[in-house]
Amino acid sequence: MAITAPWAETGPASALQRPGGRNTVRAYRNIRLTAAILVALMFGCFAAATILQMRRDYANALALAASYADAQAQVLASETGRTLDRLAALGIAYVNAVDGPSAANVILAADAQRILNIALADADGNFIAAMMGRPLAAHPLSEPSLARLQLGRSIEPYSDPAIGSSPLTLLFQADSEFPPRFVVLPLDPNSLLPESALGQTALFTPSGLTLALGDGWEAPPPSYVLRADAEISTSLRTVEYEGVRRIIALSPVPGWPLAAAASLRTDEALASWYASLPIYLFVIFGPALAGLGIAFLMVREFEKADKARSALVAAKAFGVLRQTDIAQMDSSLSEKLAEKLAEAERRAGEAERAKAEFTSLISHELRTPLNAIVGFSEMIQSGFFGPTGHPKYSEYAGDIASAARDLHTKLTDILDYAHTEGGHLDVTPQPVNVASEIEAAIEAIRAPALARKISVTCELAELPLVRADISAVKRILTIILSNALRYTPDGGKIRVDALRDEHTFVLRIGDSGQGFSPEEAARAGEPYVRFPRPAAEGSRLGLGLAMAMHLARRMGGALRLPGAAGEGTWAELRLPIE
């Protein structure tokens, strides 16, 4: 006999038609909405982080280009100033020469590529001598030029077929006589640009008049691009003309009313940044698409499970299944879940072992080249094959050796911890007299403790034999005493006590350092956990206590760190008595 549900109008109703079904549909929609919101938030977070990084890289690329242009402009200005000073000295040498024709030949041979002519003018601007041409046929210097010469050196264009024409003509006083005489040197402007600076470089006057231009410019820059409103000083500017955006650095030429410019196109400066755009897009969309796929799979699996549950309940309501059948199906589902959990636990164990093996392998592979780095850097530092040529090289070699040794120590710690955690370190408990090991460990730190005026006291009664591994005990003592020495201030104290507590041997090592707060004591011994201490800067990776506690547990003992912050640290090592 068919059973009609009270909420059905005609015939059997599906699970989604009853009131509970409406709740299920609402749950479906909420899960999908939640998944969509989470994916959107994840996409937004990655997009925001990537955009911030893009802006930072963009600014760094422009700043690097500006720094390069500024350095190039300063070098060009310095080299141009030295060149002009040398050419001015040649001009004065010509004026002071006795044998005019031979002196002219010597000067032209010295710098014939740059000097077009050398002429001498009197106080009224009339030319009285010239290396080439007829000086008396040249037109005199203008009154503004003479006025500028009264103030010092001048650079201006001069054009005259008699002695030569140049947009870059040096004018300066020839000697200290009165009335004064002036030297006029027409120069080839482009020859002043050093070969190393050929490209997007230029020489210009303070008014922005371009005198020499490198090969990298599409067109000569307008005067407003290079014009200095005040006295020329080293400056940077970003301008755009002829459809090209440029970074231009300006630098004054020492001793002359002239300035040098170096420029870079912003599209050239940002070429590497543009090349990284696909990577930025992948960082934005890659995680978002992955999250979307994971959310889709999770929602689908949830909906499948919920539909199966609804079908079971509906079948029970129509009498198709009894409650015992549903319980059996639930039990089957639980067994499958337990099997999956066991499989997941097995895989987690395998992953942990694989991690330990990988850590051990990579630490070993890295230590081998580090040994070579340390050895070669020490040979360089000591000058084994001869002097290095500069004291800084020996200093840097020492820094390299120190950093390599520090890295080697940290890799050794990681390797040892990986061996210990992965169970590759054999621990064989046997009867051990720990008194001699304690005394040996204390003697190892006495010298550095004495250098820092740290007192080390030890009170050892007649100690019983303990059941432990001798190598593990040595390692634990070394770790605890090294930490006590590291974190004890100069002039402090380190105390070692040993006693018997029923069937347990207790070794207590205390120091007068900062100690642990309750929160820190709860986390002490976790791998890669370090606490803020002045002495901890540049120290190891926080694996010492973790390794010591692990070794103590492997021997059937324990290592505890009781105490309070500000009262020093007490480390208690407990081992079973034989």
Side-chain angles (χ1 to χ4, degrees), residues 50-51 53-62 267-278 280:
T50 306
I51 290 173
Q53 186 63 38
M54 289 174 63
R55 294 181 61 181
R56 185 181 296 115
D57 292 345
Y58 183 90
N60 289 342
L62 291 181
D267 55 352
E268 295 176 354
L270 296 174
S272 60
W273 183 82
Y274 289 132
S276 301
L277 285 179
Y280 292 131

PDB file of all heavy atoms in Angstrom, residues 50-51 53-62 267-278 280:
ATOM      1  N   THR A  50      49.116  42.486  -6.424  1.00  0.00           N
ATOM      2  CA  THR A  50      49.888  42.542  -7.678  1.00  0.00           C
ATOM      3  C   THR A  50      49.970  43.968  -8.215  1.00  0.00           C
ATOM      4  O   THR A  50      51.015  44.399  -8.706  1.00  0.00           O
ATOM      5  CB  THR A  50      49.241  41.623  -8.725  1.00  0.00           C
ATOM      6  OG1 THR A  50      49.108  40.309  -8.190  1.00  0.00           O
ATOM      7  CG2 THR A  50      50.086  41.570  -9.983  1.00  0.00           C
ATOM      8  N   ILE A  51      48.864  44.706  -8.109  1.00  0.00           N
ATOM      9  CA  ILE A  51      48.883  46.097  -8.587  1.00  0.00           C
ATOM     10  C   ILE A  51      49.859  46.926  -7.771  1.00  0.00           C
ATOM     11  O   ILE A  51      50.609  47.757  -8.313  1.00  0.00           O
ATOM     12  CB  ILE A  51      47.460  46.679  -8.528  1.00  0.00           C
ATOM     13  CG1 ILE A  51      46.584  46.012  -9.605  1.00  0.00           C
ATOM     14  CG2 ILE A  51      47.485  48.180  -8.734  1.00  0.00           C
ATOM     15  CD1 ILE A  51      45.129  46.387  -9.517  1.00  0.00           C
ATOM     16  N   GLN A  53      52.525  45.816  -6.262  1.00  0.00           N
ATOM     17  CA  GLN A  53      53.871  45.423  -6.686  1.00  0.00           C
ATOM     18  C   GLN A  53      54.204  45.992  -8.061  1.00  0.00           C
ATOM     19  O   GLN A  53      55.354  46.414  -8.301  1.00  0.00           O
ATOM     20  CB  GLN A  53      53.980  43.893  -6.706  1.00  0.00           C
ATOM     21  CG  GLN A  53      55.383  43.377  -7.005  1.00  0.00           C
ATOM     22  CD  GLN A  53      56.377  43.795  -5.948  1.00  0.00           C
ATOM     23  OE1 GLN A  53      56.054  43.813  -4.770  1.00  0.00           O
ATOM     24  NE2 GLN A  53      57.599  44.129  -6.358  1.00  0.00           N
ATOM     25  N   MET A  54      53.211  46.028  -8.971  1.00  0.00           N
ATOM     26  CA  MET A  54      53.451  46.609 -10.289  1.00  0.00           C
ATOM     27  C   MET A  54      53.823  48.084 -10.166  1.00  0.00           C
ATOM     28  O   MET A  54      54.748  48.564 -10.827  1.00  0.00           O
ATOM     29  CB  MET A  54      52.200  46.446 -11.164  1.00  0.00           C
ATOM     30  CG  MET A  54      51.923  45.015 -11.608  1.00  0.00           C
ATOM     31  SD  MET A  54      50.344  44.853 -12.488  1.00  0.00           S
ATOM     32  CE  MET A  54      50.660  45.884 -13.922  1.00  0.00           C
ATOM     33  N   ARG A  55      53.094  48.806  -9.316  1.00  0.00           N
ATOM     34  CA  ARG A  55      53.395  50.234  -9.140  1.00  0.00           C
ATOM     35  C   ARG A  55      54.783  50.419  -8.533  1.00  0.00           C
ATOM     36  O   ARG A  55      55.531  51.322  -8.927  1.00  0.00           O
ATOM     37  CB  ARG A  55      52.337  50.874  -8.244  1.00  0.00           C
ATOM     38  CG  ARG A  55      50.955  50.910  -8.870  1.00  0.00           C
ATOM     39  CD  ARG A  55      49.947  51.590  -7.951  1.00  0.00           C
ATOM     40  NE  ARG A  55      50.323  52.958  -7.688  1.00  0.00           N
ATOM     41  CZ  ARG A  55      49.635  53.788  -6.890  1.00  0.00           C
ATOM     42  NH1 ARG A  55      48.552  53.324  -6.268  1.00  0.00           N
ATOM     43  NH2 ARG A  55      50.021  55.013  -6.686  1.00  0.00           N
ATOM     44  N   ARG A  56      55.139  49.552  -7.568  1.00  0.00           N
ATOM     45  CA  ARG A  56      56.456  49.671  -6.960  1.00  0.00           C
ATOM     46  C   ARG A  56      57.548  49.377  -7.988  1.00  0.00           C
ATOM     47  O   ARG A  56      58.550  50.095  -8.068  1.00  0.00           O
ATOM     48  CB  ARG A  56      56.551  48.712  -5.770  1.00  0.00           C
ATOM     49  CG  ARG A  56      57.862  48.850  -4.989  1.00  0.00           C
ATOM     50  CD  ARG A  56      57.947  47.868  -3.829  1.00  0.00           C
ATOM     51  NE  ARG A  56      56.911  48.135  -2.853  1.00  0.00           N
ATOM     52  CZ  ARG A  56      55.929  47.309  -2.562  1.00  0.00           C
ATOM     53  NH1 ARG A  56      55.864  46.128  -3.165  1.00  0.00           N
ATOM     54  NH2 ARG A  56      55.017  47.602  -1.656  1.00  0.00           N
ATOM     55  N   ASP A  57      57.370  48.324  -8.782  1.00  0.00           N
ATOM     56  CA  ASP A  57      58.376  47.996  -9.798  1.00  0.00           C
ATOM     57  C   ASP A  57      58.460  49.086 -10.863  1.00  0.00           C
ATOM     58  O   ASP A  57      59.545  49.386 -11.368  1.00  0.00           O
ATOM     59  CB  ASP A  57      58.035  46.652 -10.455  1.00  0.00           C
ATOM     60  CG  ASP A  57      58.180  45.483  -9.486  1.00  0.00           C
ATOM     61  OD1 ASP A  57      58.795  45.680  -8.428  1.00  0.00           O
ATOM     62  OD2 ASP A  57      57.655  44.398  -9.788  1.00  0.00           O
ATOM     63  N   TYR A  58      57.300  49.663 -11.210  1.00  0.00           N
ATOM     64  CA  TYR A  58      57.276  50.762 -12.188  1.00  0.00           C
ATOM     65  C   TYR A  58      58.102  51.941 -11.675  1.00  0.00           C
ATOM     66  O   TYR A  58      58.947  52.497 -12.390  1.00  0.00           O
ATOM     67  CB  TYR A  58      55.830  51.162 -12.435  1.00  0.00           C
ATOM     68  CG  TYR A  58      55.635  52.234 -13.473  1.00  0.00           C
ATOM     69  CD1 TYR A  58      55.445  51.915 -14.813  1.00  0.00           C
ATOM     70  CD2 TYR A  58      55.630  53.582 -13.121  1.00  0.00           C
ATOM     71  CE1 TYR A  58      55.262  52.898 -15.768  1.00  0.00           C
ATOM     72  CE2 TYR A  58      55.447  54.582 -14.064  1.00  0.00           C
ATOM     73  CZ  TYR A  58      55.258  54.238 -15.387  1.00  0.00           C
ATOM     74  OH  TYR A  58      55.081  55.223 -16.320  1.00  0.00           O
ATOM     75  N   ALA A  59      57.841  52.317 -10.405  1.00  0.00           N
ATOM     76  CA  ALA A  59      58.579  53.441  -9.833  1.00  0.00           C
ATOM     77  C   ALA A  59      60.066  53.121  -9.708  1.00  0.00           C
ATOM     78  O   ALA A  59      60.920  53.982  -9.952  1.00  0.00           O
ATOM     79  CB  ALA A  59      57.993  53.805  -8.464  1.00  0.00           C
ATOM     80  N   ASN A  60      60.401  51.881  -9.337  1.00  0.00           N
ATOM     81  CA  ASN A  60      61.804  51.512  -9.207  1.00  0.00           C
ATOM     82  C   ASN A  60      62.525  51.554 -10.554  1.00  0.00           C
ATOM     83  O   ASN A  60      63.687  51.967 -10.635  1.00  0.00           O
ATOM     84  CB  ASN A  60      61.921  50.107  -8.609  1.00  0.00           C
ATOM     85  CG  ASN A  60      61.538  50.067  -7.146  1.00  0.00           C
ATOM     86  OD1 ASN A  60      61.506  51.113  -6.487  1.00  0.00           O
ATOM     87  ND2 ASN A  60      61.224  48.897  -6.647  1.00  0.00           N
ATOM     88  N   ALA A  61      61.832  51.133 -11.626  1.00  0.00           N
ATOM     89  CA  ALA A  61      62.455  51.169 -12.954  1.00  0.00           C
ATOM     90  C   ALA A  61      62.744  52.603 -13.379  1.00  0.00           C
ATOM     91  O   ALA A  61      63.824  52.909 -13.905  1.00  0.00           O
ATOM     92  CB  ALA A  61      61.548  50.471 -13.972  1.00  0.00           C
ATOM     93  N   LEU A  62      61.773  53.503 -13.147  1.00  0.00           N
ATOM     94  CA  LEU A  62      62.002  54.907 -13.501  1.00  0.00           C
ATOM     95  C   LEU A  62      63.098  55.526 -12.634  1.00  0.00           C
ATOM     96  O   LEU A  62      63.911  56.317 -13.114  1.00  0.00           O
ATOM     97  CB  LEU A  62      60.693  55.691 -13.342  1.00  0.00           C
ATOM     98  CG  LEU A  62      59.584  55.354 -14.351  1.00  0.00           C
ATOM     99  CD1 LEU A  62      58.367  56.215 -14.095  1.00  0.00           C
ATOM    100  CD2 LEU A  62      60.067  55.558 -15.790  1.00  0.00           C
ATOM    101  N   ASP A 267      60.139  54.566 -22.378  1.00  0.00           N
ATOM    102  CA  ASP A 267      59.745  53.240 -22.861  1.00  0.00           C
ATOM    103  C   ASP A 267      60.933  52.275 -22.840  1.00  0.00           C
ATOM    104  O   ASP A 267      60.765  51.077 -22.605  1.00  0.00           O
ATOM    105  CB  ASP A 267      59.141  53.337 -24.262  1.00  0.00           C
ATOM    106  CG  ASP A 267      60.083  54.023 -25.245  1.00  0.00           C
ATOM    107  OD1 ASP A 267      61.122  54.554 -24.803  1.00  0.00           O
ATOM    108  OD2 ASP A 267      59.771  54.039 -26.446  1.00  0.00           O
ATOM    109  N   GLU A 268      62.166  52.786 -23.049  1.00  0.00           N
ATOM    110  CA  GLU A 268      63.342  51.932 -22.936  1.00  0.00           C
ATOM    111  C   GLU A 268      63.612  51.566 -21.479  1.00  0.00           C
ATOM    112  O   GLU A 268      63.992  50.442 -21.171  1.00  0.00           O
ATOM    113  CB  GLU A 268      64.558  52.632 -23.539  1.00  0.00           C
ATOM    114  CG  GLU A 268      64.450  52.880 -25.045  1.00  0.00           C
ATOM    115  CD  GLU A 268      65.633  53.666 -25.574  1.00  0.00           C
ATOM    116  OE1 GLU A 268      66.465  54.109 -24.745  1.00  0.00           O
ATOM    117  OE2 GLU A 268      65.730  53.842 -26.802  1.00  0.00           O
ATOM    118  N   ALA A 269      63.415  52.553 -20.579  1.00  0.00           N
ATOM    119  CA  ALA A 269      63.629  52.275 -19.161  1.00  0.00           C
ATOM    120  C   ALA A 269      62.638  51.266 -18.617  1.00  0.00           C
ATOM    121  O   ALA A 269      62.946  50.514 -17.691  1.00  0.00           O
ATOM    122  CB  ALA A 269      63.543  53.574 -18.356  1.00  0.00           C
ATOM    123  N   LEU A 270      61.429  51.234 -19.194  1.00  0.00           N
ATOM    124  CA  LEU A 270      60.373  50.348 -18.703  1.00  0.00           C
ATOM    125  C   LEU A 270      60.260  49.068 -19.519  1.00  0.00           C
ATOM    126  O   LEU A 270      59.260  48.354 -19.398  1.00  0.00           O
ATOM    127  CB  LEU A 270      59.028  51.092 -18.718  1.00  0.00           C
ATOM    128  CG  LEU A 270      58.913  52.297 -17.782  1.00  0.00           C
ATOM    129  CD1 LEU A 270      57.597  53.017 -18.015  1.00  0.00           C
ATOM    130  CD2 LEU A 270      59.026  51.869 -16.329  1.00  0.00           C
ATOM    131  N   ALA A 271      61.245  48.783 -20.360  1.00  0.00           N
ATOM    132  CA  ALA A 271      61.141  47.596 -21.219  1.00  0.00           C
ATOM    133  C   ALA A 271      61.027  46.317 -20.391  1.00  0.00           C
ATOM    134  O   ALA A 271      60.190  45.447 -20.671  1.00  0.00           O
ATOM    135  CB  ALA A 271      62.362  47.525 -22.145  1.00  0.00           C
ATOM    136  N   SER A 272      61.873  46.191 -19.356  1.00  0.00           N
ATOM    137  CA  SER A 272      61.794  44.980 -18.522  1.00  0.00           C
ATOM    138  C   SER A 272      60.476  44.915 -17.759  1.00  0.00           C
ATOM    139  O   SER A 272      59.938  43.825 -17.526  1.00  0.00           O
ATOM    140  CB  SER A 272      62.970  44.945 -17.548  1.00  0.00           C
ATOM    141  OG  SER A 272      62.937  46.081 -16.700  1.00  0.00           O
ATOM    142  N   TRP A 273      59.953  46.093 -17.376  1.00  0.00           N
ATOM    143  CA  TRP A 273      58.674  46.109 -16.655  1.00  0.00           C
ATOM    144  C   TRP A 273      57.540  45.645 -17.574  1.00  0.00           C
ATOM    145  O   TRP A 273      56.677  44.869 -17.163  1.00  0.00           O
ATOM    146  CB  TRP A 273      58.397  47.510 -16.143  1.00  0.00           C
ATOM    147  CG  TRP A 273      57.143  47.623 -15.321  1.00  0.00           C
ATOM    148  CD1 TRP A 273      56.986  47.334 -14.010  1.00  0.00           C
ATOM    149  CD2 TRP A 273      55.854  48.053 -15.786  1.00  0.00           C
ATOM    150  NE1 TRP A 273      55.690  47.548 -13.608  1.00  0.00           N
ATOM    151  CE2 TRP A 273      54.971  47.989 -14.684  1.00  0.00           C
ATOM    152  CE3 TRP A 273      55.363  48.476 -17.007  1.00  0.00           C
ATOM    153  CZ2 TRP A 273      53.631  48.336 -14.791  1.00  0.00           C
ATOM    154  CZ3 TRP A 273      54.030  48.831 -17.112  1.00  0.00           C
ATOM    155  CH2 TRP A 273      53.177  48.762 -16.016  1.00  0.00           C
ATOM    156  N   TYR A 274      57.558  46.108 -18.834  1.00  0.00           N
ATOM    157  CA  TYR A 274      56.541  45.654 -19.780  1.00  0.00           C
ATOM    158  C   TYR A 274      56.653  44.149 -20.022  1.00  0.00           C
ATOM    159  O   TYR A 274      55.640  43.462 -20.175  1.00  0.00           O
ATOM    160  CB  TYR A 274      56.696  46.399 -21.109  1.00  0.00           C
ATOM    161  CG  TYR A 274      56.292  47.860 -21.049  1.00  0.00           C
ATOM    162  CD1 TYR A 274      57.117  48.854 -21.564  1.00  0.00           C
ATOM    163  CD2 TYR A 274      55.090  48.242 -20.472  1.00  0.00           C
ATOM    164  CE1 TYR A 274      56.768  50.194 -21.499  1.00  0.00           C
ATOM    165  CE2 TYR A 274      54.729  49.573 -20.403  1.00  0.00           C
ATOM    166  CZ  TYR A 274      55.563  50.548 -20.914  1.00  0.00           C
ATOM    167  OH  TYR A 274      55.206  51.859 -20.843  1.00  0.00           O
ATOM    168  N   ALA A 275      57.885  43.645 -20.043  1.00  0.00           N
ATOM    169  CA  ALA A 275      58.065  42.212 -20.263  1.00  0.00           C
ATOM    170  C   ALA A 275      57.512  41.375 -19.112  1.00  0.00           C
ATOM    171  O   ALA A 275      57.207  40.197 -19.284  1.00  0.00           O
ATOM    172  CB  ALA A 275      59.551  41.896 -20.460  1.00  0.00           C
ATOM    173  N   SER A 276      57.385  41.983 -17.926  1.00  0.00           N
ATOM    174  CA  SER A 276      56.874  41.256 -16.757  1.00  0.00           C
ATOM    175  C   SER A 276      55.358  41.289 -16.646  1.00  0.00           C
ATOM    176  O   SER A 276      54.807  40.656 -15.743  1.00  0.00           O
ATOM    177  CB  SER A 276      57.484  41.841 -15.469  1.00  0.00           C
ATOM    178  OG  SER A 276      58.885  41.762 -15.492  1.00  0.00           O
ATOM    179  N   LEU A 277      54.672  42.024 -17.527  1.00  0.00           N
ATOM    180  CA  LEU A 277      53.214  42.128 -17.423  1.00  0.00           C
ATOM    181  C   LEU A 277      52.515  40.767 -17.501  1.00  0.00           C
ATOM    182  O   LEU A 277      51.563  40.526 -16.742  1.00  0.00           O
ATOM    183  CB  LEU A 277      52.681  43.066 -18.519  1.00  0.00           C
ATOM    184  CG  LEU A 277      52.929  44.559 -18.289  1.00  0.00           C
ATOM    185  CD1 LEU A 277      52.380  45.371 -19.456  1.00  0.00           C
ATOM    186  CD2 LEU A 277      52.270  45.017 -16.989  1.00  0.00           C
ATOM    187  N   PRO A 278      52.920  39.832 -18.387  1.00  0.00           N
ATOM    188  CA  PRO A 278      52.248  38.519 -18.365  1.00  0.00           C
ATOM    189  C   PRO A 278      52.374  37.804 -17.031  1.00  0.00           C
ATOM    190  O   PRO A 278      51.441  37.124 -16.590  1.00  0.00           O
ATOM    191  CB  PRO A 278      52.968  37.751 -19.489  1.00  0.00           C
ATOM    192  CG  PRO A 278      53.502  38.802 -20.400  1.00  0.00           C
ATOM    193  CD  PRO A 278      53.869  39.942 -19.511  1.00  0.00           C
ATOM    194  N   TYR A 280      52.593  39.313 -14.091  1.00  0.00           N
ATOM    195  CA  TYR A 280      51.653  39.972 -13.182  1.00  0.00           C
ATOM    196  C   TYR A 280      50.228  39.465 -13.414  1.00  0.00           C
ATOM    197  O   TYR A 280      49.482  39.208 -12.461  1.00  0.00           O
ATOM    198  CB  TYR A 280      51.696  41.487 -13.396  1.00  0.00           C
ATOM    199  CG  TYR A 280      52.989  42.150 -12.970  1.00  0.00           C
ATOM    200  CD1 TYR A 280      53.657  43.036 -13.808  1.00  0.00           C
ATOM    201  CD2 TYR A 280      53.542  41.884 -11.725  1.00  0.00           C
ATOM    202  CE1 TYR A 280      54.834  43.637 -13.422  1.00  0.00           C
ATOM    203  CE2 TYR A 280      54.725  42.492 -11.334  1.00  0.00           C
ATOM    204  CZ  TYR A 280      55.359  43.367 -12.183  1.00  0.00           C
ATOM    205  OH  TYR A 280      56.534  43.965 -11.800  1.00  0.00           O
TER     206      TYR A 280
END
